[in-house]
Amino acid sequence: MKFRLVFLSLIGSLILASCGGFAAQPPTPTVPPLVTLKVSGSGTVTIVLDTLTPAFETATPGYQLEVLPGRSTGSGVTGILEGLLDIAAMSRPPKEEETAQNIKYYELGLVGQALITHPTVTGVASLNHQQITDIFSGKITNWAEVGGPNMQIVLYVRDEDDSSTKGLRKAILGETPFAETATTLFSQDEMVFSVEGTPGSIGVAGWPSILALQTNVNAVAIDGVGPGEAAYPILDSAGIGYLSQREGDIQPLINWLSSTEGQSALNALGFVPSK
């Protein structure tokens, strides 16, 4: 009987010691749930956001950007309206009918739609309006006609709904049709890599995407003004769109883009500050 009492007393002491040990352990820290923001739309803006993603995620714990390949602003807008995306990459502000559907817009800055040529096109640092019109309409077909090498011009253009084409037409071409020999491309990636890979070629692409991808092409000035300058004639607004009811989720990204770090990153990628 005495042995049994001693044994029970020993067991009780071990249980109390064990409970005390558990109570003394610090609580496990709570890890905030990861918020993933899916974005797609404008090719230029998706390329930029993909480049900025590591810096944003490092500065904003608990958030990550999932940047999907983009082809157009319209597809990004459709994506957020249908709940497939959180953010629309946009190469223009929202239209009235889009604003009426509670789409808000944060402008990253102004994007120069750059004239880009293959590195083999030497001696053509700047073109005037008439020369650009003659090249894109097919009247000028050899680079020697504008001070370049004796080489046939290979012309790449974007579809008529694309922001680069609209900007080019508004600033220079008007309704002048593209040359019949022009090849129409349907994404920013296609344009950038086609010009980079084709000797004698010229095309139009958002300047920030060229810098983000570190593409080996020449940027041709227009009347001596480059695509990263405020006086460049083809500047378009670019930014991100989102539904107003999702603003709380998107705000950390906007905060970072508005910060000193974010603004420095955008400037390094060739964005021109809004006027």
Side-chain angles (χ1 to χ4, degrees):
M1 183 68 177
K2 182 178 179 180
F3 173 78
R4 184 179 180 186
L5 290 174
V6 171
F7 178 75
L8 292 175
S9 176
L10 178 61
I11 293 297
S13 298
L14 290 173
I15 291 174
L16 288 173
S18 176
C19 291
F22 282 123
Q25 294 179 2
T28 302
T30 302
V31 178
L34 189 65
V35 177
T36 299
L37 300 175
K38 290 185 178 181
V39 54
S40 186
S42 160
T44 295
V45 179
T46 55
I47 290 170
V48 166
L49 291 177
D50 191 45
T51 302
L52 298 179
T53 290
F56 164 69
E57 291 180 349
T58 299
T60 317
Y63 279 80
Q64 70 176 16
L65 282 180
E66 183 179 348
V67 183
L68 306 174
R71 296 179 69 91
S72 69
T73 295
S75 64
V77 170
T78 299
I80 60 173
L81 289 174
E82 294 183 353
L84 302 175
L85 299 172
D86 303 293
I87 298 170
M90 301 180 68
S91 58
R92 56 165 175 78
K95 300 176 181 177
E96 286 187 16
E97 59 268 27
E98 294 166 347
T99 302
Q101 296 179 81
N102 297 323
I103 293 179
K104 299 191 73 171
Y105 180 72
Y106 173 79
E107 186 175 70
L108 301 177
L110 302 178
V111 169
Q113 297 297 339
L115 298 179
I116 56 173
T117 60
H118 187 269
T120 53
V121 182
T122 57
V124 184
S126 181
L127 294 168
N128 61 40
H129 282 55
Q130 190 59 55
Q131 289 171 322
I132 295 167
T133 300
D134 289 347
I135 288 172
F136 278 84
S137 66
K139 185 176 180 180
I140 291 178
T141 60
N142 192 297
W143 285 111
E145 298 178 65
V146 290
N150 183 18
M151 179 182 292
Q152 287 293 116
I153 294 174
V154 179
L155 181 61
Y156 291 115
V157 298
R158 289 295 303 275
D159 54 288
E160 292 292 341
D161 289 333
D162 184 72
S163 59
S164 61
T165 297
K166 290 181 178 180
L168 184 62
R169 290 202 175 283
K170 181 179 179 180
I172 299 174
L173 296 184
E175 297 183 1
T176 302
F178 289 134
E180 293 182 0
T181 56
T183 299
T184 302
L185 304 176
F186 294 92
S187 76
Q188 186 80 357
D189 285 343
E190 286 182 318
M191 175 62 73
V192 170
F193 294 123
S194 294
V195 173
E196 183 182 37
T198 309
S201 61
I202 184 172
V204 184
W207 184 233
S209 64
I210 302 298
L211 296 179
L213 294 171
Q214 299 181 354
T215 311
N216 184 25
V217 295
N218 299 328
V220 179
I222 299 176
D223 290 324
V225 182
E229 300 179 59
Y232 192 69
I234 315 176
L235 288 175
D236 299 316
S237 175
I240 57 173
Y242 54 94
L243 294 176
S244 59
Q245 56 266 38
R246 296 292 313 282
E247 188 163 20
D249 291 330
I250 314 302
Q251 194 62 49
L253 175 59
I254 295 174
N255 290 345
W256 183 80
L257 290 169
S258 303
S259 69
T260 301
E261 181 185 3
Q263 289 295 298
S264 296
L266 291 172
N267 290 339
L269 289 176
F271 278 86
V272 175
S274 303
K275 297 178 181 178

